[in-house]
């Protein structure tokens, strides 16, 4: 019951992050804006999350868990209502960015609280359920949005968040207790400024690259600014006695390996789930509502596998399920990379199901493996670091997939369906590269006491 408010909040946050992709064409028509402008609904949301997430560990030392969760859920509710009622693109973007504040607060807290309230022998199962919440949203987002857009206006995408958030706020008031120690450490404002500029510039540069191109002066300038500021930020965190983010935990091999595997896995999921609904619509010429239904079986399998994967960690450890997960994901991604405009629907559903078995099978054990290496106050830092890097990698993976999608379409002659299919092949080659890197890295997992 204590976790219910956090899980619902994190689910709605991730659903909001991934469900809007399928609605962007309708929003372009509704507000009479181009693809470069409309992309800010995704970029702006991730931008705010990228600024708020690195501050999560600091916030837990200044405010109670209950205060933070209720504030985050209320911010998201307020943002969703603004977005649903938005008369202009600017107001819609403002609503999206307020939602980003809520997600940035609630998302890392879910893992931090789980680390505090579950004993080690049940942590794998608990993390499995948390991973299921995170993984289910990107998988069912297109389905839900497709069904809404088939019958209702785009406003209802935002209205659907409201009942979930109201229930989560009720759970937060009735069941949530404080799990972290309030120490109110001295705040290093320069670190906060560096964090905001560095992470925001990085997310903005990779997001804009998909629209403006890699050689755009703005993209290059933002990327250089991000690297310089983040190097200064990392150096400052390592020097401070009470850093905003305790980056020293990267010196723990178990945490480092697990965190990298989680980042790669998240990149695999977001790149594939960005490409697949577009391929179904533009490559296979299937309507938006049916696209959502086609993607539903994979979403259900994803959720079930996530829940089971946590329990597998409790009995088998991390190495076996992680390696097996990446091997299975490799088969699914390869099937999608070989799909043609005449591919039968059952083939696409099967390929997505295989991918959605592999990714969560690797994700949940890797995450628990990383977080098990750290204890006490460091668990909040570990959770914050992993969630921050997930969002950054997610933004980068989506941007790279977009760039490759456009590049692939321009290298072949033929119908629009043939050209778009070639573009998605280029994008799925990137997904395959990530899977191979993840598989090789998973071989370095040290067998632990479970094995």
């Amino acid at each position: 019951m204590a976790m219910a408010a956090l899980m619902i909040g994190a689910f709605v946050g991730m659903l909001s992050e991934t469900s809007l992709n399928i609605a962007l064409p309708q929003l372009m028509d509704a507000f009479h804006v181009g693809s470069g402008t409309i992309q800010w609904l995704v970029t702006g949301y991730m931008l705010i999350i990228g600024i708020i997430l690195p501050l999560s560990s600091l916030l837990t030392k200044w405010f109670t868990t209950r205060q933070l969760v209720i504030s985050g859920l209320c911010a998201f509710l307020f943002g969703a209502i603004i977005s649903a009622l938005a008369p202009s693109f600017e107001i819609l973007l403002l609503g999206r960015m307020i939602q980003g504040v809520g997600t940035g607060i609630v998302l890392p807290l879910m893992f931090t609280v789980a680390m505090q309230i579950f004993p080690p022998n049940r942590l794998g199962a608990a993390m499995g359920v948390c991973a299921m919440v995170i993984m289910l949203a990107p998988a069912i987002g297109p389905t839900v949005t497709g069904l809404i857009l088939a019958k209702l206006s785009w406003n209802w995408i935002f209205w659907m968040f409201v009942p979930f958030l109201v229930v989560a706020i009720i759970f937060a008031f009735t069941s949530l207790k404080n799990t972290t120690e309030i120490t109110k450490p001295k705040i290093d404002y320069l670190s906060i400024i560096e964090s905001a500029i560095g992470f925001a510039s990085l997310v903005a540069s990779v997001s804009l690259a998909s629209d403006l191109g890699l050689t755009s002066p703005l993209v290059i300038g933002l990327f250089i600014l991000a690297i310089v500021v983040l190097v200064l930020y990392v150096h400052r965190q390592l020097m401070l006695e009470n850093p905003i983010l305790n980056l020293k935990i990267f010196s723990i091999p178990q945490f480092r390996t697990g965190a990298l595997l989680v980042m790669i896995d998240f990149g695999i999921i977001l790149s594939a789930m960005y490409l697949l609904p577009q391929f179904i619509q533009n490559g296979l010429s299937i309507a938006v509502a049916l696209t959502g239904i086609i993607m539903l079986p994979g979403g259900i399998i994803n959720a079930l596998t996530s829940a089971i994967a946590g329990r597998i960690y409790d009995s088998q450890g991390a190495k076996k399920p992680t390696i097996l997960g990446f091997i299975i994901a490799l088969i699914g991604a390869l099937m999608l990379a070989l799909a043609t405009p005449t591919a039968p629907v059952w083939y696409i559903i099967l390929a997505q199901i295989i991918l959605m078995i592999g990714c969560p099978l690797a994700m949940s054990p890797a995450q628990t493996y990383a977080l098990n290496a750290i204890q006490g106050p460091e668990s909040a830092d570990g959770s914050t670091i992993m969630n921050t890097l997930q969002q950054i990698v997610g933004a980068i993976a989506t941007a790279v997939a977009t760039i490759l999608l456009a590049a692939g379409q321009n290298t072949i002659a033929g119908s629009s369906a043939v050209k778009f299919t070639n573009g998605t092949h280029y994008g799925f080659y990137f997904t395959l590269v990530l899977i191979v890197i993840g598989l090789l890295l998973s071989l370095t997992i040290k067998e632990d006491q479970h094995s």
Side-chain angles (χ1 to χ4, degrees):
M1 293 293 284
M3 293 293 294
L6 287 155
M7 287 182 171
I8 296 169
F11 172 76
V12 173
M14 292 305 296
L15 187 65
S16 179
E17 185 170 313
T18 55
S19 63
L20 215 63
N21 285 338
I22 209 167
L24 294 180
Q26 282 88 339
L27 289 165
M28 284 166 63
D29 292 339
F31 292 108
H32 310 292
V33 294
S35 60
T37 305
I38 207 73
Q39 191 64 34
W40 276 100
L41 292 178
V42 179
T43 305
Y45 182 72
M46 295 182 88
L47 201 67
I48 297 297
I49 294 174
I51 292 170
I52 299 293
L53 266 175
L55 304 177
S56 172
S57 182
L58 176 68
L59 291 173
T60 61
K61 291 162 188 162
W62 271 86
F63 303 99
T64 67
T65 310
R66 191 182 161 98
Q67 287 171 335
L68 288 172
V69 172
I70 291 169
S71 300
L73 291 171
C74 288
F76 202 112
L77 180 63
F78 184 52
I81 292 170
I82 289 174
S83 298
L85 297 171
S88 66
F89 174 78
E90 291 77 14
I91 301 297
L92 177 59
L93 180 59
L94 174 66
R96 284 289 287 166
M97 292 172 97
I98 294 171
Q99 290 172 53
V101 173
T103 303
I105 291 171
V106 173
L107 194 60
L109 274 173
M110 178 173 69
F111 293 101
T112 306
V113 172
M115 288 288 292
Q116 301 287 345
I117 66 175
F118 288 99
N121 64 324
R122 290 182 59 205
L123 191 58
M127 285 296 171
V129 177
C130 291
M132 178 183 77
V133 170
I134 297 295
M135 304 277 268
L136 180 62
I140 70 164
T143 307
V144 176
T145 309
L147 293 172
I148 287 173
L149 292 175
K151 294 292 181 185
L152 302 164
S153 69
W154 61 265
N155 311 72
W156 286 95
I157 295 171
F158 299 102
W159 284 124
M160 80 170 169
F161 300 142
V162 172
F164 286 104
L165 292 163
V166 170
V167 171
I169 289 168
I170 291 168
F171 273 120
F173 271 110
T174 57
S175 304
L176 195 61
K177 303 289 188 290
N178 190 44
T179 60
T180 53
E181 188 184 348
I182 310 289
T183 56
K184 297 197 174 181
K186 183 172 176 285
I187 298 173
D188 183 55
Y189 291 101
L190 181 57
S191 290
I192 293 176
I193 294 166
E194 287 177 345
S195 169
I197 293 172
F199 287 112
S201 301
L202 185 60
V203 173
S205 66
V206 295
S207 300
L208 289 170
S210 60
D211 187 54
L212 302 177
L214 290 169
T215 56
S216 159
L218 179 60
V219 170
I220 294 169
L222 279 171
F223 186 73
I224 292 170
L225 174 66
I227 298 302
V228 171
V229 175
L230 285 174
V231 167
L232 293 171
Y233 173 73
V234 169
H235 180 263
R236 189 166 182 81
Q237 299 317 295
L238 294 173
M239 293 297 110
L240 285 173
E241 190 178 338
N242 292 308
I244 298 284
L245 209 54
N246 181 12
L247 298 176
K248 291 187 179 76
I249 60 175
F250 266 112
S251 63
I252 304 167
Q254 186 176 330
F255 175 80
R256 189 169 60 241
T257 302
L260 286 170
L261 285 167
V262 169
M263 287 160 55
I264 292 165
D265 207 332
F266 202 68
I268 293 163
I269 293 163
L270 281 196
S271 61
M273 290 306 99
Y274 174 76
L275 293 164
L276 188 56
Q278 295 189 76
F279 169 64
I280 294 169
Q281 289 177 76
N282 300 319
L284 302 181
S285 304
I286 289 172
V288 64
L290 193 54
T291 299
I293 293 167
I294 288 168
M295 295 187 72
L296 186 58
I300 293 168
I301 294 294
N302 181 308
L304 293 172
T305 310
S306 294
I308 295 165
R311 297 186 183 279
I312 293 172
Y313 172 86
D314 286 337
S315 61
Q316 297 290 321
K319 189 163 190 170
K320 290 172 187 172
T322 306
I323 292 171
L324 181 61
F326 281 116
I327 291 171
I328 294 170
L330 188 66
I331 296 166
L334 198 56
M335 288 174 70
L336 290 172
L338 297 172
T340 66
T342 56
V345 170
W346 66 261
Y347 177 88
I348 302 300
I349 293 173
L350 179 63
Q352 192 207 355
I353 285 174
I354 293 170
L355 186 66
M356 289 294 112
I357 291 171
C359 288
L361 190 59
M363 170 79 87
S364 187
Q367 189 155 35
T368 312
Y369 178 74
L371 292 176
N372 254 350
I374 48 181
Q375 301 297 327
E378 288 183 343
S379 61
D381 291 303
S383 174
T384 300
I385 288 167
M386 276 209 281
N387 282 285
T388 303
L389 294 178
Q390 273 186 40
Q391 295 302 316
I392 302 299
V393 170
I396 293 170
T398 305
V400 172
T402 308
I403 293 164
L404 292 171
L405 179 65
Q409 287 174 266
N410 296 330
T411 59
I412 193 170
S415 67
S416 59
V418 168
K419 292 177 81 169
F420 198 89
T421 301
N422 195 59
T424 56
H425 286 171
Y426 274 48
F428 281 122
Y429 295 151
F430 169 64
T431 307
L432 282 165
V433 169
L434 289 179
I435 293 171
V436 171
I437 294 169
L439 178 59
L440 293 173
L441 186 61
S442 65
L443 297 172
T444 68
I445 291 175
K446 295 284 185 286
E447 293 288 4
D448 53 33
Q449 68 273 18
H450 295 85
S451 304

